[in-house]
Amino acid sequence: MTALPLADRARRAAAQVRQFAMELADAWGAVWRRSLQLRVVVSTLVLSTAVIVVLGLVLQTQIALRVLQGKEADTLTRTEAGAVLLERDLSGVDPSRDGAQGDLNNALDRLTNASVADEPSSTGAGEFRAVLSTPRGEGAGIAAGPVEDVPADLRDAVAAGTLSSKYVTLSEQGVEIPTLIVGQPVRTANGDLEFYLLFPLIAEQRTLGLVQSTLIVGGLILLLLLAGIAGLVTRQVVRPVRQAAEIAERFADGHLDERMPVQGEDDVARLGESYNEMASSIQSQIRQLEEFGALQRRFTSDVSHELRTPLTTVRMAADVLYASREHLLPALRRSSELLVCELDRFEALLADLLEISRLDAGVAELGAERVDMHGVVMRAVEAVRGFADESGTPLDLRLPTGAYAEVDPRRVERIVRNLVANAIDHGEGRPVSITLAYDEHVVAVLVRDHGVGLRPGEAELVFNRFWRAEESRARRSGGSGLGLAIAIEDARLHGGWLQAWGAVGQGAAFRLTLPRTLDEPVESSPLPLGPDPAPTSEVVPSSVPSPTPPPVPTPPRGRPVTVVPSWSDDDADAADRHADLP
C-alpha cells in the first residue's frame, strides 16, 4: 500500500523535472535564436575555453617535465657523491663477517649527517632516505634502511651493475607520497653492496599543484575578460543593427519619417545612409501612389456622379419609348427594349463604381443590427428566384432559423445575392445549394454549384476587380466585374471571411463566414469548404487517382483565402468560369 504512493510521487516528480527541463531548453533555444550577441559571446567562450585548456595542458606538461628533469639530475649527482663517500668508508668492510650490520648503519648515519656545504652540487636534491643492502640471493643478506620500499625490478637492475632510477608511490601513515628512488652498486673489500636513495617528491608535487591552480584561475579570469570584451565588441555591432530593425519596424507601421542616425564613416554609417536613401525613395513612391489613388478614386466618384444627370434624362426618354413600344415598328420596338436593358446595366455599373469609391475612401458605414440570418438569406434568394426559374436551375435551401448575428442586412443580402446569381449563371442548370449554419461565435453561408467549376489559378482571380470569365462563353446575364470585389470588401467590413473553392467539372463553392458579434475574431467556420464527400457505399478503385484538392487553410482575420486546385487542367470542355454580378 505504501510502495504505490511512493512510486506515483516519484513518477510525478520525474515528470515535473522533465517538464521543467523541456521548458528551460525551449526558453534557452528561444533566447539563442533571437540574440546575436549571446551567440557570439557563447561561441567566443567555447572556442577560447578549448584554446585555454589545450595551452594549459601543454604548459603544465612542460613545467612538470622540466621540474622532474631537474630533480633527476640533482638526485643522480647526490647519489654518485654518496656512493663515493660510502666506498671510502666501507673499503675495508667485509659484509659477510659478523658485525657488518653496525658498519653499514654507521656509514648511512655519516652519509645522512654530512654537511650540505661539503656537497654543494647536490643541494637541489632535497631530503632523502638511504638504503644499503647486500644483493638478493646471497645467503642471509643484511640491510640498513627501509629496503622493503625498494621495488624488486630496481634491485635487479642495480645488482646488474647499472645506475638506475624509478618513480614509485609509497604509503606512510595512510598518506600516498610520490617518491623517486635512485640506486647504484658500491664496491667493498669483499663484494658489492646495493646503495639506494629515496627522494620524496612532496615539494615538486606542491609546485605542480600551485602551477595547476594558477593556470586554472588565470584561465577563468581570461575567459571572463574575453566574455566581457566579446560582449562589448559585439554590442558595438549589434546595437546599430537592433536600432535599424526598430526603425524599420516603425517605418513598416506607417511612420514614414523614421530615419537612422548616421555617425562617422564606417560600415554602420554606410548602412544608415543606404537605409535612409531607401526609406526616402519608398516614402516618395508611397506618397505618389497615395496621390494617384486619391486622384483615381476622386475621378471615379466624380465621373459616376456626373453621369447620373444625363443618365436620368436618357432613362426618362427610354421609359417613354418603352411605354409606347406597342405603337412602334417592330425594329424600333426591339431597339427600345435593348435600350432599357442596357440602361439597367449602366445604372448597376454606376452604383457599383460609387460603392467601390466609398469603400476605397474608407467612408463606408456599417449599419449593423441584430437580425436572423434566415430572413436575410431568404430575401437574397427570392431576389434571384426569377433568374433561377428562367434558367431551370433548382435551388436547394437549407436555412435553419435562429441564426442571429450583428450584421448590416443590406450588405449581407447583397453578398448572398451576388453569390447565388453567380452559381445560377455558371451552374449549367444543375442544382444550386444554399446552406446556412452557425455556432456559438460565427454564422456561415455556403453557396455550392455543380457547373463548370474553376481552373487552377482562377480562384485567386475571382475577387479581383473587373476580372471576367472567358469571353467566348455566352452568359445569361452581364456583370460589371465589381460584384465579388464589393462582396469581399463587405465581408472584411464585418470582420469576416469570403472564401472560394473550385475544380474543373466539380463546380465551385463560395463560403461567407461572419462573427455573430461585431469585433469578435473569426477563427473557424461551421461549414466545410471543398468538394462534396464521396458516398460511403461507393468504392473507388485504387488505380484511379482522386482529384480532391487539399484542405482549405484557415485564413487570418478579415482576409480572404482562395484555394487553387493542385491537379492539372485537362478538360477542354470547361468553357466558362465564375465571374461576378452586381
Side-chain angles (χ1 to χ4, degrees):
M1 295 294 294
T2 307
L4 289 177
L6 290 176
D8 292 340
R9 286 198 294 269
R11 284 194 294 269
R12 286 196 296 268
Q16 292 176 356
V17 171
R18 286 195 299 270
Q19 182 67 22
F20 177 76
M22 292 176 60
E23 292 177 356
L24 187 62
D26 293 340
W28 171 257
V31 174
W32 176 265
R33 291 190 299 270
R34 295 174 183 173
S35 178
L36 175 62
Q37 186 175 8
L38 177 64
R39 294 199 298 270
V40 172
V41 171
V42 172
S43 301
T44 303
L45 286 179
V46 171
L47 296 176
S48 301
T49 301
V51 173
I52 290 175
V53 168
V54 172
L55 290 178
L57 291 176
V58 172
L59 287 176
Q60 184 177 2
T61 302
Q62 293 296 322
I63 292 174
L65 182 62
R66 296 299 181 184
V67 169
L68 293 180
Q69 286 178 350
K71 183 70 174 181
E72 288 180 359
D74 293 337
T75 55
L76 290 176
T77 302
R78 181 62 180 171
T79 302
E80 292 175 354
V84 172
L85 292 176
L86 289 177
E87 286 180 352
R88 184 178 58 194
D89 293 341
L90 299 176
S91 59
V93 176
D94 185 3
S96 59
R97 67 176 179 82
D98 295 336
Q101 180 70 46
D103 295 334
L104 296 182
N105 292 334
N106 293 332
L108 289 183
D109 291 339
R110 288 193 297 272
L111 176 64
T112 305
N113 296 328
S115 174
V116 177
D118 295 338
E119 302 291 341
S121 61
S122 64
T123 55
E127 62 181 15
F128 60 87
R129 292 181 298 164
V131 175
L132 270 176
S133 173
T134 58
R136 292 190 304 168
E138 294 184 1
I142 59 175
V147 69
E148 66 276 3
D149 292 339
V150 181
D153 55 348
L154 181 61
R155 295 197 63 181
D156 294 339
V158 173
T162 60
L163 175 65
S164 303
S165 62
K166 185 176 183 180
Y167 290 97
V168 298
T169 301
L170 303 179
S171 179
E172 294 185 5
Q173 298 179 356
V175 179
E176 300 292 335
I177 300 176
T179 305
L180 173 61
I181 302 178
V182 183
Q184 76 171 48
V186 176
R187 293 190 179 90
T188 61
N190 192 16
D192 293 340
L193 296 175
E194 296 176 359
F195 171 53
Y196 303 96
L197 291 181
L198 286 69
F199 298 91
L201 303 178
I202 298 177
E204 287 75 14
Q205 188 178 28
R206 291 175 181 173
T207 301
L208 294 179
L210 179 61
V211 171
Q212 185 178 14
S213 301
T214 303
L215 290 176
I216 293 175
V217 174
L220 293 176
I221 294 175
L222 183 59
L223 284 177
L224 293 177
L225 292 176
L226 288 176
I229 293 172
L232 292 176
V233 174
T234 308
R235 181 181 175 83
Q236 294 180 357
V237 178
V238 172
R239 185 176 180 181
V241 174
R242 291 177 178 172
Q243 187 178 15
E246 293 174 356
I247 294 175
E249 290 176 358
R250 292 196 296 269
F251 187 87
D253 290 337
H255 303 280
L256 302 181
D257 295 328
E258 289 290 338
R259 296 293 185 271
M260 285 184 61
V262 179
Q263 298 177 355
E265 300 178 356
D266 53 8
D267 295 336
V268 177
R270 292 174 57 193
L271 172 63
E273 293 176 354
S274 301
Y275 175 83
N276 292 340
E277 293 177 359
M278 179 190 68
S280 299
S281 176
I282 293 176
Q283 182 182 18
S284 176
Q285 295 179 17
I286 290 176
R287 287 178 176 174
Q288 291 178 3
L289 291 175
E290 289 178 348
E291 293 175 357
F292 177 74
L295 180 61
Q296 186 180 29
R297 290 191 297 269
R298 187 163 53 250
F299 173 78
T300 303
S301 178
D302 293 344
V303 169
S304 302
H305 281 287
E306 291 298 329
L307 287 177
R308 277 195 174 276
T309 300
L311 180 61
T312 303
T313 304
V314 175
R315 164 62 71 177
M316 293 174 60
D319 289 342
V320 171
L321 291 175
Y322 187 76
S324 59
R325 66 185 183 280
E326 299 297 335
H327 304 287
L328 299 176
L329 296 175
L332 295 178
R333 185 185 310 122
R334 180 56 180 165
S335 298
S336 64
E337 292 173 354
L338 291 176
L339 177 61
V340 171
C341 181
E342 292 302 321
L343 283 175
D344 291 338
R345 293 184 59 187
F346 193 26
E347 286 181 339
L349 176 60
L350 284 180
D352 288 345
L353 288 174
L354 288 174
E355 185 65 24
I356 282 289
S357 299
R358 286 192 291 268
L359 291 171
D360 290 341
V363 297
E365 296 182 357
L366 189 67
E369 56 183 278
R370 186 170 180 80
V371 296
D372 189 351
M373 288 289 292
H374 173 84
V376 176
V377 177
M378 280 300 300
R379 288 195 299 271
V381 173
E382 292 301 326
V384 295
R385 175 79 66 176
F387 181 40
D389 295 340
E390 179 184 349
S391 63
T393 301
L395 298 180
D396 180 15
L397 304 182
R398 305 169 190 173
L399 307 177
T401 58
Y404 287 94
E406 295 180 2
V407 299
D408 187 337
R410 179 181 65 87
R411 295 183 183 276
V412 175
E413 183 179 342
R414 179 169 58 190
I415 296 174
V416 178
R417 184 174 65 247
N418 188 283
L419 298 181
V420 176
N422 273 339
I424 295 172
D425 198 19
H426 299 279
E428 296 186 330
R430 299 187 181 96
V432 173
S433 63
I434 300 96
T435 306
L436 173 65
Y438 59 95
D439 58 19
E440 184 180 356
H441 303 287
V442 298
V443 60
V445 179
L446 179 67
V447 179
R448 176 77 162 93
D449 69 72
H450 300 82
V452 294
L454 296 173
R455 292 181 178 179
E458 290 183 345
E460 296 179 344
L461 305 175
V462 292
F463 297 109
N464 292 348
R465 299 176 183 181
F466 298 109
W467 183 81
R468 297 296 301 270
E470 187 175 303
E471 298 296 337
S472 62
R473 178 171 177 84
R475 298 170 55 94
R476 295 187 180 91
S477 62
S480 65
L482 296 174
L484 286 179
I486 295 175
I488 197 171
E489 293 297 336
D490 286 337
R492 290 174 178 172
L493 199 61
H494 284 83
W497 303 341
L498 181 56
Q499 301 164 274
W501 172 90
V504 175
Q506 298 187 34
F510 287 80
R511 182 179 65 185
L512 173 66
T513 307
L514 302 176
R516 300 189 66 179
T517 304
L518 287 180
D519 299 330
E520 183 177 359
V522 177
E523 298 178 352
S524 61
S525 181
L527 291 174
L529 180 64
D532 296 333
T536 56
S537 59
E538 181 181 354
V539 179
V540 180
S542 59
S543 60
V544 180
S546 177
T548 301
V552 179
T554 300
R557 180 184 178 188
R559 296 296 303 276
V561 163
T562 56
V563 181
V564 181
S566 58
W567 56 87
S568 61
D569 180 16
D570 297 326
D571 191 353
D573 296 332
D576 197 8
R577 287 86 66 200
H578 274 261
D580 42 355
L581 290 174

